[in-house]
Amino acid sequence: AESRNLNELRKLYQHQDEVLDQLIKKFQELYLLSDADAHSTALAHDTLAPVIHKKMKDSDKPGQRAWRILQAKMADYAVNPQSTILEEDDLALVVHGASGMRMWVSKEKELIDRSKKRKEELEAARKRNRRFRRVAVVVIAILGVISSIFWQLSEREKRKVEANNKFNEGRIMLDRDPTAGLAMMVEGWHENSADSAKLTMIYETYARGIFYEIVATTDGAQLNAAAFSEDGRYAAIGTDHPDRAIRLYDLNSGKIIDTLSGPANPVSSVTFFKNHYIFAGSLDRQAYRWAPNGSEMLAFKKQEGQDSSFVKQVAVSADGGRIATVHTDLAVRLWDANSGAFTGEISLNDPVTAIAFSLTDQTLWLAFEDGNIAAYNPKNQQTARYKMGQTAIRALAFSRQGNAAAGCANGQLLTWKANNPAKVLHQTQAHQGAIGALAFSADGNFVVTGSTDLTAKVWEVATGDLVNTLKGHTAAIHSAAFSADAGFLLTASEDRTVRRWSFAYPLPLQVAGEDLGYITDLDWLPDGHVVAVTRYDKQVSWGATRFQNPVVSDLEESPTTVIASPDGKKLAIGDENGGVK
């Protein structure tokens, strides 16, 4: 996105000098480049930069392919210039694409010259081999053996080139899909497993990456809505399948274990209440509740003589006793979740864009297109209204610890204490697209956002800092959730997949400053911030950012293992002679 001097551009593209000025003029006519300065160029707007970068990475044109191959190979050349060359296929692509990219810099020219020399040597060797075979016709048996040897060498070289190409394609893919990119890198390494440098790069990539597994697919049906059970084992998914039923998936097997029928039109919203009930809103103007085994269905129907409209969203109160449905006729209706009885209605002048119950009281919160949120008591009376964002709030979420978050159409994430919305704690430009999925971790320390920009992100609630970015989905993300034990994170997307991300929010890397000596074992306590460490000097220490004095120092034998109780109040310590304390 930086400005570029025209003289500099003419040096970089002197081989295309005849068309450079015409190109710049054409780009200015198309409003891609600014025409404010006659001596330099600059993008008309900085937001064009990522679009251009993506085009460069995805283009199959000769210049862009040559640029990508050189970019990848120069990384190896900078580390090991003596043994790094462009293989023949790569060299041909680079030379073919030279006119479509900038001038080669000195190091690139050096690599290409060495590669050409190597290619000439290989071609000369092949010519000598052919002459030798013609001369040695009289010794056919010997020639057969020699020909076989040369053929095997040639095939090995070809496989090596193909493996290198696959490995480099994987490296290029890492930026948009680390999981698929790493898989391709591993596949390329397996075809040339003697290359230890590639294996090292694979390990380094794995160490700094967050990866997914696809645990469910909708088999071609459009995914309209999704929700996850509290334990992370099940997913309820609404699609555009003709039967309009919700599919209940076991995410450990990826198989459909139940089909929940009832709605006459597509489902627009799905939510789990813990692991007990599944609630859904439909375009048939009704809401529904199913027991987990699908044996019981309850429909929340409109009153006799009263018109209704499509259900856009459904929310369940913290105790599971009430549900609220958002309708397209600017009404929010309240129902008894156990009997299905209609209990009240909130008539509004503006469309509701998000809805959620507070998890610490019975307050119902509504969000609107103008960025406002409003609180309603159990009597359906508005008790407060706050201006939160500049654009529509697309998602609301509350934690059991008393925090709240909102995701906006402009990609902003807002967090605040649920009892004090007037004071926003953190306001972050979290995404380039609208935030449509939002969820807190069970301990309330983290919040995950899912966006139309194809990414999910994990944020630390206390600081507002970004912890991780999850890349891989190819369409907008509908739903996201943490498992109750905080072991993994789940997302569902319009790309028709449900994905499970392991280690979705590891703590930032910290190194204890003390010399603890020889450590034999460690275990995290349930809060995820304190670790207990057994030491070979017959002591056990624990701490958060710094390890304090030993908490156990009267051991008779050296400890070998330690484990914390679920409540974090006890430690079990095993020693090298079979004893346990």
Side-chain angles (χ1 to χ4, degrees), residues 28-182:
Q28 291 172 342
E29 292 175 357
L30 294 171
Y31 303 105
L32 296 176
L33 289 180
S34 169
D35 61 353
D37 189 347
H39 303 290
S40 62
T41 67
L43 290 179
H45 198 281
D46 288 353
T47 54
L48 289 170
V51 178
I52 294 171
H53 276 289
K54 185 176 186 303
K55 290 285 187 181
M56 286 284 288
K57 291 177 181 177
D58 295 344
S59 174
D60 200 37
K61 294 184 183 297
Q64 282 72 23
R65 290 184 67 184
W67 174 78
R68 290 197 299 269
I69 292 169
L70 269 181
Q71 289 286 100
K73 186 59 69 172
M74 287 305 295
D76 297 335
Y77 190 68
V79 176
N80 195 355
Q82 297 303 318
S83 60
T84 302
I85 63 166
L86 286 165
E87 301 297 341
E88 291 183 66
D89 291 353
D90 284 349
L91 178 62
L93 291 173
V94 170
V95 172
H96 177 62
S99 63
M101 64 173 287
R102 56 163 172 73
M103 295 288 291
W104 296 330
V105 299
S106 59
K107 285 292 184 181
E108 291 171 345
K109 290 178 181 177
E110 183 180 294
L111 172 62
I112 291 168
D113 290 341
R114 290 187 59 195
S115 302
K116 287 180 177 179
K117 183 177 179 181
R118 174 61 174 163
K119 178 184 177 183
E120 292 171 358
E121 292 172 353
L122 290 175
E123 290 177 345
R126 285 194 285 267
K127 289 179 181 178
R128 287 194 298 271
N129 291 338
R130 288 194 294 270
R131 286 197 299 269
F132 175 79
R133 286 195 295 271
R134 284 195 296 266
V135 172
V137 172
V138 291
V139 284
I140 296 176
I142 298 175
L143 268 181
V145 174
I146 295 175
S147 298
S148 176
I149 293 173
F150 276 104
W151 178 81
Q152 291 177 15
L153 291 174
S154 177
E155 285 298 305
R156 187 180 305 168
E157 189 71 16
K158 180 181 178 182
R159 287 193 297 271
K160 183 179 178 181
V161 170
E162 293 173 348
N164 287 339
N165 289 343
K166 186 172 294 184
F167 186 87
N168 289 331
E169 287 178 19
R171 290 174 60 188
I172 294 171
M173 191 185 296
L174 288 176
D175 186 55
R176 66 177 184 275
D177 191 337
T179 304
L182 181 64

Side-chain angles (χ1 to χ4, degrees), residues 487-500:
F488 54 83
L489 190 147
L490 293 160
T491 56
S493 165
E494 286 184 9
D495 64 13
R496 305 176 183 185
T497 66
V498 175
R499 306 188 184 199
R500 179 161 51 209

Side-chain angles (χ1 to χ4, degrees), residues 373-385:
I373 63 171
Y376 290 81
N377 62 23
K379 296 181 180 180
N380 303 334
Q381 299 169 330
Q382 181 175 307
T383 59
R385 192 177 182 94

Side-chain angles (χ1 to χ4, degrees), residues 19-20 48 51 110 122 171 187 189 239 241 298 324 328 467 475 544:
V19 298
L20 183 60
L48 289 170
V51 178
E110 183 180 294
L122 290 175
R171 290 174 60 188
E187 188 178 346
W189 171 77
T239 69
H241 195 279
L298 179 65
T328 54
V467 179

Side-chain angles (χ1 to χ4, degrees), residues 228-394:
F228 303 102
S229 61
E230 191 173 82
D231 59 10
R233 182 178 175 184
Y234 302 104
I237 297 177
T239 69
D240 63 355
H241 195 279
D243 64 10
R244 310 307 187 195
I246 290 177
R247 267 70 175 169
L248 185 62
Y249 289 80
D250 184 331
L251 298 182
N252 291 329
S253 65
K255 296 180 179 178
I256 298 174
I257 58 174
D258 207 347
T259 301
L260 310 179
S261 301
N265 286 329
V267 167
S268 56
S269 177
V270 180
T271 184
F272 256 96
F273 176 66
K274 299 183 178 178
N275 296 323
H276 303 304
Y277 289 103
I278 298 167
F279 293 85
S282 169
L283 300 185
D284 67 3
R285 305 171 183 243
Q286 294 183 168
Y288 298 86
R289 188 201 72 184
W290 292 270
N293 58 12
S295 61
E296 174 192 355
M297 186 196 77
L298 179 65
F300 300 87
K301 301 180 180 180
K302 63 184 179 180
Q303 300 297 295
E304 290 296 331
Q306 180 184 27
D307 193 14
S308 184
S309 59
F310 298 159
V311 178
K312 296 197 301 180
Q313 294 187 50
V314 176
V316 187
S317 62
D319 61 2
R322 293 195 301 157
I323 74 163
T325 55
V326 179
H327 298 259
T328 54
D329 60 1
L330 304 185
V332 175
R333 296 183 172 88
L334 285 299
W335 314 80
D336 186 303
N338 297 310
S339 66
F342 176 76
T343 60
E345 178 175 315
I346 302 172
S347 297
L348 302 162
N349 296 321
D350 302 308
V352 175
T353 55
I355 183 172
F357 281 95
S358 170
L359 299 184
T360 56
D361 55 31
Q362 293 296 312
T363 302
L364 173 66
W365 289 89
L366 306 180
F368 300 92
E369 284 283 355
D370 59 5
N372 286 335
I373 63 171
Y376 290 81
N377 62 23
K379 296 181 180 180
N380 303 334
Q381 299 169 330
Q382 181 175 307
T383 59
R385 192 177 182 94
Y386 303 91
K387 179 66 174 179
M388 303 301 292
Q390 301 301 316
T391 59
I393 293 174
R394 299 296 189 207

